[in-house]
Amino acid sequence: MVKFILNGKKVESKSEPLTRLLDVFRKEFDLTAPKEGCGEGECGACSCLIDGNLSNSCLIALGSVAGKSVVTLEGFRDTQQYKLLEKTFAKAGAVQCGFCTPGMIMAAQSLLCKNPNPTEHDIRNAISGNLCRCTGYNMIIDAVKMAAEEGNGLW
């Protein structure tokens, strides 16, 4: 059994240590925000935070998160940071089909925690591991900029 903290709660997974973290999220814990897009770490749809660092859960073995803190969008949803990002993504029109949105939100959170006043270049770099087929990225970048401006020390 692998023990770790998932969305603020101590959990034990009965899955094999080499099972992909993405599969553990979806099959064992019914967490559906992280999605299988490419299965190769290229699209960011499965993004989560592991000890505060943005990670592609499709590339992470369950055993590697033993004793660590793992956060998916479901665990992030009740925070003030999420509420601000949700508001700015809506205001900027940054959500269309929504498939990439959980990964984009997690990438934005990771960036803003490390750099609460990012430049456009910083934002583009931070979301570069996340693919979006709908928005052309400009509205997502605008949403993250707005969140940084309106954050007032939130990060």
Side-chain angles (χ1 to χ4, degrees):
M1 275 201 251
V2 176
K3 296 178 183 182
F4 62 105
I5 298 168
L6 179 59
N7 296 329
K9 297 177 184 159
K10 291 180 182 179
V11 297
E12 290 182 10
S13 173
K14 294 176 174 72
S15 297
E16 293 295 320
L18 291 177
T19 305
R20 295 184 317 165
L21 189 56
L22 174 62
D23 296 327
V24 173
F25 288 158
R26 296 183 68 82
K27 293 175 184 169
E28 194 170 339
F29 294 102
D30 292 324
L31 300 172
T32 57
K35 296 169 179 45
E36 173 110 33
C38 67
E40 298 176 354
E42 297 291 328
C43 74
C46 66
S47 294
C48 66
L49 299 175
I50 300 175
D51 286 343
N53 296 307
L54 189 66
S55 301
N56 291 321
S57 64
C58 72
L59 297 178
I60 305 292
L62 171 63
S64 69
V65 300
K68 295 184 178 180
S69 174
V70 179
V71 178
T72 66
L73 188 72
E74 288 90 347
F76 179 54
R77 253 194 296 236
D78 293 327
T79 67
Q80 289 301 108
Q81 292 105 333
Y82 173 80
K83 290 174 181 154
L84 178 57
L85 285 165
E86 179 182 47
K87 181 181 108 183
T88 61
F89 267 62
K91 190 189 281 187
V95 177
Q96 289 185 21
C97 85
F99 193 83
C100 74
T101 305
M104 289 290 186
I105 294 281
M106 298 310 284
Q109 170 66 1
S110 179
L111 167 66
L112 293 170
C113 280
K114 293 175 177 116
N115 179 359
N117 297 301
T119 64
E120 181 174 328
H121 175 77
D122 295 333
I123 297 168
R124 287 185 181 277
N125 190 47
I127 66 168
S128 66
N130 296 70
L131 296 179
C132 175
R133 301 285 184 208
C134 302
T135 68
Y137 300 97
N138 289 331
M139 293 175 280
I140 295 168
I141 292 162
D142 290 344
V144 177
K145 274 190 219 170
M146 274 192 265
E149 291 166 6
E150 295 176 26
N152 295 328
L154 197 55
W155 280 277

